[in-house]
C-alpha cells in the first residue's frame, strides 16, 4: 500500500488523464467559483447578465490568444458560478511552458518562491498554464478592485476526441444558460 501523503499532508491525485500529455488537443473545461457563489452575474429572464467580474472574465477569454499564442478558445459561456470553454492547444510549439514569474510581475513573491514557481511552471502542461493564467488574471483584477471573489481549487477538463463529440460539447455550452435550472452547478440565489 502506498502512502498518499506529501510532507505529512494528504494529497489529492491529479484529475488529468495519465495517458495524455496535454501538449496539444481540444479540451472542454469547467472552472467553478468557491462554494458555487454567484460572482459572475445572474440569469434574468433566460439571459446571462454579467457582473463586473463576469465582464472582465469575458474579456480574458476573448484575448487568451494574445497571451498564449498556442491556445485558442473558440467558444465559452459564463454562468453565475462557473465557466465553460473549449480550449484548443496547438501541438509543436516552442516555449509553451514558460510562465512569467519575474520580480516585476510578481513583486510580492520572495526569490525562493519565484525560483520554485519557475521550476513548477516547466512541469505544467500548456492547458494548465492557460487555465491558471485565466484564473490568475481574474483573481488579480478582483483583488485590485477590492471585489469579493474566490475560485474552487483545480478545474475540470475533458479531452474532446472527435467532431461529433465537439458538436455535443458546443451544443451544451451554447444552451447552458437556457438550461440553468437543470445544470449540475445550479444554485438559486
Amino acid at each position: 500500500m502506498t502512502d498518499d501523503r506529501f510532507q505529512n499532508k494528504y494529497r489529492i491525485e491529479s484529475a488529468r488523464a495519465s495517458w495524455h500529455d496535454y501538449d496539444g488537443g481540444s479540451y472542454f473545461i469547467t472552472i467553478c467559483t468557491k462554494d458555487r457563489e454567484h460572482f459572475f452575474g445572474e440569469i434574468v429572464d433566460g439571459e446571462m447578465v454579467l457582473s463586473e467580474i463576469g465582464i472582465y472574465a469575458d474579456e480574458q477569454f476573448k484575448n487568451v490568444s494574445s497571451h498564449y499564442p498556442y491556445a485558442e478558445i473558440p467558444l465559452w459561456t459564463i454562468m453565475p458560478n462557473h465557466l465553460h470553454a473549449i480550449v484548443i492547444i496547438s501541438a509543436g510549439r516552442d516555449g509553451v511552458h514558460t510562465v512569467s514569474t519575474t520580480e516585476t510581475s510578481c513583486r510580492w513573491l520572495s526569490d525562493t518562491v519565484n525560483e520554485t514557481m519557475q521550476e513548477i511552471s516547466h512541469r505544467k502542461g500548456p492547458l494548465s498554464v492557460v487555465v491558471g493564467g485565466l484564473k490568475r488574471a481574474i483573481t488579480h483584477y478582483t483583488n485590485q478592485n477590492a471585489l469579493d471573489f474566490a475560485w474552487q481549487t483545480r478545474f475540470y477538463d475533458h479531452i474532446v476526441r472527435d467532431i461529433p463529440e465537439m458538436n455535443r460539447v458546443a451544443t451544451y455550452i451554447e444552451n447552458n444558460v437556457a438550461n440553468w435550472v437543470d445544470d449540475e452547478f445550479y444554485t438559486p440565489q
Side-chain angles (χ1 to χ4, degrees), residues 3-11:
D3 190 358
D4 287 336
R5 289 182 291 174
F6 174 72
Q7 296 180 345
N8 272 341
K9 296 180 183 176
Y10 283 96
R11 63 176 186 223

Side-chain angles (χ1 to χ4, degrees), residues 42-77:
E42 296 297 335
I43 295 177
V44 178
D45 297 327
E47 297 288 324
M48 182 63 193
V49 179
L50 296 175
S51 66
E52 180 179 348
I53 300 169
I55 292 168
Y56 187 79
D58 191 56
E59 291 172 12
Q60 297 311 298
F61 275 87
K62 287 177 186 170
N63 297 318
V64 77
S65 292
S66 65
H67 299 286
Y68 307 98
Y70 54 85
E72 177 186 356
I73 300 181
L75 185 63
W76 68 91
T77 190

Side-chain angles (χ1 to χ4, degrees), residues 10-120:
Y10 283 96
R11 63 176 186 223
I12 300 169
E13 292 299 317
S14 174
R16 310 284 82 81
S18 60
W19 49 267
H20 185 72
D21 65 10
Y22 290 89
D23 274 346
S26 299
Y27 307 93
F28 170 48
I29 64 162
T30 301
I31 314 170
C32 297
T33 61
K34 185 177 182 188
D35 298 326
R36 297 188 182 173
E37 290 272 341
H38 287 210
F39 291 121
F40 298 120
E42 296 297 335
I43 295 177
V44 178
D45 297 327
E47 297 288 324
M48 182 63 193
V49 179
L50 296 175
S51 66
E52 180 179 348
I53 300 169
I55 292 168
Y56 187 79
D58 191 56
E59 291 172 12
Q60 297 311 298
F61 275 87
K62 287 177 186 170
N63 297 318
V64 77
S65 292
S66 65
H67 299 286
Y68 307 98
Y70 54 85
E72 177 186 356
I73 300 181
L75 185 63
W76 68 91
T77 190
I78 299 173
M79 300 297 288
N81 59 8
H82 65 282
L83 311 166
H84 288 301
I86 294 172
V87 180
I88 300 171
I89 304 291
S90 300
R93 337 74 23 244
D94 292 328
V96 73
H97 299 291
T98 303
V99 174
S100 176
T101 55
T102 63
E103 191 80 26
T104 56
S105 67
C106 299
R107 285 184 214 124
W108 62 89
L109 294 175
S110 69
D111 289 338
T112 304
V113 173
N114 198 14
E115 290 171 19
T116 302
M117 293 304 291
Q118 276 292 3
E119 178 60 31
I120 291 169

Side-chain angles (χ1 to χ4, degrees), residues 98-172:
T98 303
V99 174
S100 176
T101 55
T102 63
E103 191 80 26
T104 56
S105 67
C106 299
R107 285 184 214 124
W108 62 89
L109 294 175
S110 69
D111 289 338
T112 304
V113 173
N114 198 14
E115 290 171 19
T116 302
M117 293 304 291
Q118 276 292 3
E119 178 60 31
I120 291 169
S121 73
H122 292 291
R123 293 191 308 250
K124 289 173 79 173
L127 179 63
S128 292
V129 170
V130 171
V131 172
L134 288 166
K135 289 175 77 171
R136 196 168 33 262
I138 294 165
T139 300
H140 179 75
Y141 176 82
T142 60
N143 290 341
Q144 291 294 108
N145 291 284
L147 299 169
D148 185 32
F149 181 76
W151 291 110
Q152 174 181 304
T153 56
R154 302 171 157 227
F155 66 95
Y156 168 82
D157 73 79
H158 173 79
I159 302 163
V160 181
R161 293 177 180 88
D162 56 30
I163 299 293
E165 188 173 22
M166 181 67 78
N167 290 336
R168 283 190 300 277
V169 168
T171 299
Y172 177 81

